[in-house]
Amino acid sequence: MKNRKLNQWLWKWHFIAGIISLPFVIVLSITGGIYLFKSDVENEVIQGIQKLIPEEKSERLSYDKQWEIAQKNSKRKLNSVVLDDGDLSTEFIAGRFGGKQSVYVNPYSGKVSGTFKAKDTWMYSVRKLHGELLGGKVGTKVVELITSWMVVLILSGLYIWFPFVRGIKGVFTVRLKEGKRTLFRDLHAVTGFWISILLLIVLAGGFPWTDVFGGNFKKVQKWTNTGYPKTWSGRGLTSTVKEKRLSLDEMISIANAQNLSGKITVGLPKSVKSTFSVSNKTFPLSGQKMIHFDQYSGELVKSHNWSDVGVLMRARMWLMAFHQGEFGGWNWYLMFAIAVLLTLTSIAAIFSYIFRKQKGKLSVPKSPKSFKQNYGLVIAILFLGVIFPLFGLSVVLIYLSELFTNRKSLNT
């Protein structure tokens, strides 16, 4: 049997947290759904730059010559080149992550066909709105706080709703003829139930990008040695210095001989002692490799497979890729469906509140006066507060606020 007093107490705080969070949740779900089209938007721009006119094809320039041209047209030092099939302009990259910029060189004419930065597309604004509400570091922490409470909302919502009053029948049916309040309440509850587990996985894939949780997660990876191997990025690896370095064409020939799948990138040496690196981005993630070669002899220095990556990093990368719908069509459509359904269930919750709200009152559910939190509940809250520090801080502030309010009411 369900603890009815606990149910009422959770319902009160589920309600309060929901009313505060829902406007933000709607923004996050809508922008998340839009951001799934990121590749389509960016690829359309890139294809316009990379696509070659058949008449332009003649004798192909060496990669070294193309690199010289690209470097002259880049204000930043180039760090890598993407291998192509010969029918596209060659992509040279400067920077990393969000600051990455690509310079495209026509391999036949030697002309720079264009440059590309993700920041130049309107999708970048969608990303900033989704990740930080256009509020910089403060906005990032607000998003982290809201997503932390979303975890609590999902868990408390499952307890409150299932199984209660309607039993198993309520999992599958929405009451259409019992008034608007009941209709929207059921739409919120039934839809929320069916996406709850997937939504928790989606949220888990978003947390690594956050400031506080993400920063702590990286520290745990470092302490437990469950991230990338130290030599994955080439740190600590050296080449035997000689008079002549391999040409970029020779290195790319070696890279092609590795028969890697997906998008293959050759990282350029950062100094006279560092190495060339060859990596690929492919799915499943288990097919990804990072291989380092002596920049003078071309000999293998270090080869890493995906199995060399620590378990926490592998889990993190899988969840982040799932979050972005990168595992193929099924993953993309699933993420888009979750974004749409989360928006609908959030809107349904707002309408449910509007139709239950009494005029002139907030209509906040009352919790039983005699209810005392048991050890299990306290431990669960403390556990979530440790995992999600911003949630923990907000709970402390709520507790202090309630304590102050209760003492004030006793003194009056």
Side-chain angles (χ1 to χ4, degrees), residues 234-288:
R235 186 174 55 179
L237 302 178
T238 58
S239 296
T240 303
V241 180
K242 297 180 181 179
E243 290 185 12
K244 186 179 179 182
R245 195 183 80 174
L246 289 177
S247 69
L248 189 52
D249 290 81
E250 290 173 322
M251 186 60 242
I252 287 176
S253 179
I254 294 173
N256 283 323
Q258 306 308 307
N259 294 317
L260 300 177
S261 59
K263 184 177 180 180
I264 305 169
T265 302
V266 174
L268 306 173
K270 298 175 183 177
S271 68
V272 294
K273 290 185 177 181
S274 57
T275 60
F276 276 111
S277 62
V278 178
S279 61
N280 65 322
K281 182 177 181 181
T282 187
F283 295 96
L285 294 170
S286 57
Q288 294 191 8

Side-chain angles (χ1 to χ4, degrees), residues 1-39:
M1 292 295 293
K2 183 183 286 190
N3 185 324
R4 289 182 176 272
K5 288 185 177 181
L6 173 60
N7 193 86
Q8 290 176 323
W9 186 82
L10 285 174
W11 165 225
K12 174 187 175 181
W13 289 108
H14 180 88
F15 178 90
I16 293 172
I19 291 298
I20 296 171
S21 303
L22 280 178
F24 298 100
V25 174
I26 291 172
V27 171
L28 294 176
S29 60
I30 292 175
T31 54
I34 295 173
Y35 197 66
L36 287 169
F37 293 89
K38 169 182 175 286
S39 296

Side-chain angles (χ1 to χ4, degrees), residues 198-247:
L198 283 172
L199 188 53
L200 287 172
I201 297 173
V202 172
L203 291 174
F207 274 112
W209 278 293
T210 59
D211 285 351
V212 182
F213 177 93
N216 289 340
F217 190 85
K218 290 176 182 176
K219 289 178 182 177
V220 172
Q221 282 183 177
K222 187 176 181 180
W223 294 336
T224 58
N225 196 29
T226 51
Y228 281 115
K230 292 181 179 179
T231 52
W232 182 272
S233 63
R235 186 174 55 179
L237 302 178
T238 58
S239 296
T240 303
V241 180
K242 297 180 181 179
E243 290 185 12
K244 186 179 179 182
R245 195 183 80 174
L246 289 177
S247 69

Side-chain angles (χ1 to χ4, degrees), residues 246-383:
L246 289 177
S247 69
L248 189 52
D249 290 81
E250 290 173 322
M251 186 60 242
I252 287 176
S253 179
I254 294 173
N256 283 323
Q258 306 308 307
N259 294 317
L260 300 177
S261 59
K263 184 177 180 180
I264 305 169
T265 302
V266 174
L268 306 173
K270 298 175 183 177
S271 68
V272 294
K273 290 185 177 181
S274 57
T275 60
F276 276 111
S277 62
V278 178
S279 61
N280 65 322
K281 182 177 181 181
T282 187
F283 295 96
L285 294 170
S286 57
Q288 294 191 8
K289 293 186 176 183
M290 176 66 81
I291 312 172
H292 297 278
F293 296 92
D294 188 297
Q295 65 171 298
Y296 300 95
S297 66
E299 293 179 357
L300 176 66
V301 175
K302 188 74 175 180
S303 178
H304 282 297
N305 296 315
W306 187 246
S307 58
D308 297 326
V309 179
V311 63
L312 286 185
M313 179 58 78
R314 276 185 282 164
R316 172 185 172 182
M317 298 305 293
W318 190 95
L319 288 167
M320 291 170 75
F322 182 81
H323 182 94
Q324 297 181 100
E326 294 182 339
F327 287 113
W330 68 269
N331 187 194
W332 190 95
Y333 284 110
L334 184 61
M335 290 301 99
F336 187 73
I338 289 174
V340 172
L341 291 174
L342 178 58
T343 303
L344 292 177
T345 193
S346 300
I347 293 173
I350 292 173
F351 276 101
S352 178
Y353 168 67
I354 291 173
F355 288 118
R356 85 178 289 277
K357 181 180 178 298
Q358 297 177 8
K359 190 175 181 180
K361 296 182 179 180
L362 291 175
S363 299
V364 177
K366 294 181 180 180
S367 59
K369 293 181 179 179
S370 60
F371 174 72
K372 291 184 178 180
Q373 293 90 343
N374 57 39
Y375 287 114
L377 180 62
V378 172
I379 291 172
I381 294 173
L382 289 174
F383 177 73

Side-chain angles (χ1 to χ4, degrees), residues 60-77:
R60 188 181 176 92
L61 297 174
S62 69
Y63 278 102
D64 287 279
K65 182 62 179 177
Q66 292 179 60
W67 179 84
E68 288 178 16
I69 295 168
Q71 188 60 74
K72 286 179 182 178
N73 288 272
S74 175
K75 294 180 181 180
R76 302 162 65 187
K77 186 177 180 180

